[in-house]
Amino acid sequence: MANVKLFYFDSAGRAELIRLVLTAAKVEFDDVRFQGDDWPAKYKPVAPFGQAPFVEYNGKKYGQSIAIAKFFARENGLYGANNLEAFRIDEVVGLVQDFFTVLVKIFLEQDPAKKEEIKATMEKDDAPKFLRFFQKLLQENGTGYFVGDKLSLADLIVYDMVTQLQKTFNFDASTDFPEIKALVDKVASDENIKTYIDSKK
């Protein structure tokens, strides 16, 4: 029986990065996916801070999706080889979070016309701005990864960002950014990640 249980709705959302980290690290975990109707009465009362996702690890519950992903990345060799590489990983994670604040505006907007305007601005201006940042960092490292020459949390979070943009908005963020496209393909071809992806088809 796995000593890690991940609790989230039956969707990718904020839990997918955690799933990717655990999968890449070959950590066995129970992927507890619940329906929205079960959240208020069954899961929210036991969730730390009343939020999802959360994990139960060795019998104790922990919250905050990025904190969870960082913990399991550190524990399993996905957080760089030294503090400087960890610093770069934190930069990438922070940039992705900054970009997500832009995406949230699309979901919160109720007016259909304004929603489309915000989405168009995201695709034309916001996404390319952040993607240029990521591409520059990949070019600087020169190995196809953000740090060192192996997979890290930085690669997984950018992969998650690009693939969720594709699924949610039908927007291929890697089209004009060859290094990012190569990174996405590299992550998707990782043996453990590929098995996980194939299991969802």
Side-chain angles (χ1 to χ4, degrees):
M1 181 178 178
N3 66 355
V4 179
K5 291 183 180 180
L6 172 61
F7 298 85
Y8 194 63
F9 302 97
D10 189 14
S11 64
R14 292 183 177 274
E16 193 67 5
L17 177 61
I18 303 168
R19 295 182 184 122
L20 291 170
V21 169
L22 292 169
T23 297
K26 299 182 182 178
V27 174
E28 183 182 351
F29 68 103
D30 291 334
D31 190 5
V32 181
R33 299 177 182 235
F34 50 83
Q35 301 302 315
D37 292 346
D38 291 330
W39 169 244
K42 186 174 181 181
Y43 291 101
K44 187 173 183 177
V46 299
F49 325 121
Q51 297 174 332
F54 64 97
V55 294
E56 184 175 302
Y57 176 61
N58 289 337
K60 186 171 181 179
K61 295 182 178 65
Y62 301 88
Q64 291 295 317
S65 59
I66 295 299
I68 294 167
K70 285 184 174 183
F71 170 76
F72 286 111
R74 286 194 189 96
E75 288 288 292
N76 294 282
L78 294 169
Y79 218 89
N82 52 54
N83 285 339
L84 193 58
E85 289 190 0
F87 192 0
R88 175 48 50 87
I89 291 169
D90 284 340
E91 282 185 305
V92 173
V93 171
L95 282 169
V96 172
Q97 293 303 105
D98 288 347
F99 181 47
F100 279 168
T101 63
V102 175
L103 298 180
V104 167
K105 296 176 184 176
I106 301 174
F107 292 106
L108 293 179
E109 181 56 58
Q110 299 298 310
D111 183 277
K114 289 182 179 178
K115 184 186 288 284
E116 284 303 311
E117 283 181 21
I118 299 171
K119 180 176 178 290
T121 300
M122 179 275 288
E123 294 180 359
K124 180 176 178 291
D125 299 322
D126 299 310
K129 179 183 77 172
F130 283 97
L131 290 163
R132 280 191 291 271
F133 293 152
F134 296 128
Q135 177 142 300
K136 183 172 182 289
L137 294 178
L138 286 169
Q139 290 168 341
E140 286 179 3
N141 193 46
T143 67
Y145 296 103
F146 281 105
V147 299
D149 59 359
K150 65 177 185 177
L151 193 68
S152 76
L153 176 63
D155 307 306
L156 292 170
I157 197 170
V158 171
Y159 169 84
D160 183 41
M161 179 194 77
V162 172
T163 54
Q164 291 215 45
L165 279 172
Q166 177 72 54
K167 292 174 185 175
T168 306
F169 299 107
N170 195 28
F171 173 61
D172 187 349
S174 66
T175 301
D176 299 320
F177 300 91
E179 282 86 354
I180 294 175
K181 186 178 189 313
L183 173 73
V184 169
D185 292 342
K186 191 187 293 282
V187 174
S189 66
D190 174 89
E191 181 180 354
N192 300 309
I193 299 295
K194 186 177 185 304
T195 299
Y196 170 67
I197 294 170
D198 289 345
S199 73
K200 298 192 297 179
K201 292 178 180 178

